[in-house]
Tab-separated table of all heavy atoms in Angstrom:
chain	number	residue	atom	x	y	z
A	272	VAL	N	99.047	108.122	101.942
A	272	VAL	CA	97.765	108.255	102.651
A	272	VAL	C	97.689	107.121	103.668
A	272	VAL	O	97.944	105.964	103.328
A	272	VAL	CB	96.582	108.115	101.658
A	272	VAL	CG1	95.252	108.163	102.393
A	272	VAL	CG2	96.650	109.190	100.596
A	273	LEU	N	97.363	107.478	104.915
A	273	LEU	CA	97.183	106.427	105.924
A	273	LEU	C	95.738	105.940	105.878
A	273	LEU	O	94.814	106.689	106.205
A	273	LEU	CB	97.519	106.970	107.315
A	273	LEU	CG	97.288	105.984	108.466
A	273	LEU	CD1	98.184	104.746	108.331
A	273	LEU	CD2	97.522	106.646	109.821
A	274	ALA	N	95.532	104.701	105.442
A	274	ALA	CA	94.172	104.135	105.388
A	274	ALA	C	93.896	103.373	106.674
A	274	ALA	O	94.723	102.568	107.114
A	274	ALA	CB	94.052	103.206	104.188
A	275	ARG	N	92.743	103.671	107.260
A	275	ARG	CA	92.314	102.970	108.473
A	275	ARG	C	91.170	102.049	108.087
A	275	ARG	O	90.338	102.426	107.259
A	275	ARG	CB	91.806	103.952	109.526
A	275	ARG	CG	92.834	104.939	109.994
A	275	ARG	CD	92.175	105.986	110.905
A	275	ARG	NE	93.163	106.733	111.660
A	275	ARG	CZ	93.818	107.777	111.189
A	275	ARG	NH1	93.597	108.202	109.970
A	275	ARG	NH2	94.712	108.404	111.945
A	276	TYR	N	91.096	100.894	108.701
A	276	TYR	CA	90.052	99.941	108.342
A	276	TYR	C	89.124	99.673	109.535
A	276	TYR	O	89.553	99.654	110.689
A	276	TYR	CB	90.667	98.601	107.905
A	276	TYR	CG	91.772	98.731	106.877
A	276	TYR	CD1	92.916	97.928	106.942
A	276	TYR	CD2	91.679	99.653	105.839
A	276	TYR	CE1	93.923	98.044	105.994
A	276	TYR	CE2	92.691	99.774	104.891
A	276	TYR	CZ	93.811	98.972	104.980
A	276	TYR	OH	94.805	99.081	104.041
A	277	ALA	N	87.859	99.461	109.225
A	277	ALA	CA	86.885	99.108	110.273
A	277	ALA	C	86.034	97.957	109.758
A	277	ALA	O	85.895	97.775	108.553
A	277	ALA	CB	86.008	100.316	110.584
A	278	HIS	N	85.503	97.183	110.669
A	278	HIS	CA	84.702	96.023	110.277
A	278	HIS	C	83.302	96.133	110.880
A	278	HIS	O	83.154	96.348	112.075
A	278	HIS	CB	85.362	94.744	110.792
A	278	HIS	CG	84.725	93.512	110.235
A	278	HIS	ND1	85.264	92.814	109.172
A	278	HIS	CD2	83.592	92.865	110.561
A	278	HIS	CE1	84.479	91.798	108.869
A	278	HIS	NE2	83.461	91.808	109.705
A	279	ARG	N	82.283	95.992	110.036
A	279	ARG	CA	80.916	95.995	110.548
A	279	ARG	C	79.965	95.492	109.464
A	279	ARG	O	80.268	95.552	108.276
A	279	ARG	CB	80.491	97.378	110.986
A	279	ARG	CG	80.388	98.329	109.823
A	279	ARG	CD	79.566	99.516	110.207
A	279	ARG	NE	79.504	100.434	109.108
A	279	ARG	CZ	79.474	101.746	109.249
A	279	ARG	NH1	79.516	102.267	110.451
A	279	ARG	NH2	79.375	102.520	108.213
A	280	THR	N	78.825	95.011	109.888
A	280	THR	CA	77.798	94.543	108.948
A	280	THR	C	76.431	94.954	109.476
A	280	THR	O	76.068	94.594	110.603
A	280	THR	CB	77.813	92.991	108.836
A	280	THR	OG1	79.155	92.543	108.809
A	280	THR	CG2	77.084	92.527	107.595
A	281	ALA	N	75.675	95.686	108.663
A	281	ALA	CA	74.312	96.075	109.053
A	281	ALA	C	73.374	94.912	108.759
A	281	ALA	O	73.398	94.363	107.663
A	281	ALA	CB	73.879	97.290	108.254
A	282	LYS	N	72.568	94.545	109.728
A	282	LYS	CA	71.609	93.453	109.531
A	282	LYS	C	70.252	93.896	110.060
A	282	LYS	O	70.127	94.035	111.269
A	282	LYS	CB	72.059	92.196	110.288
A	282	LYS	CG	73.254	91.517	109.683
A	282	LYS	CD	73.563	90.246	110.440
A	282	LYS	CE	75.025	90.228	110.849
A	282	LYS	NZ	75.401	89.263	111.820
A	283	PRO	N	69.278	94.122	109.204
A	283	PRO	CA	69.336	94.086	107.737
A	283	PRO	C	69.848	95.421	107.200
A	283	PRO	O	69.891	96.405	107.944
A	283	PRO	CB	67.864	93.900	107.358
A	283	PRO	CG	67.116	94.624	108.432
A	283	PRO	CD	67.922	94.437	109.691
Side-chain angles (χ1 to χ4, degrees):
V272 176
L273 177 62
R275 298 173 165 83
Y276 311 140
H278 190 99
R279 67 162 178 215
T280 319
K282 289 184 232 166

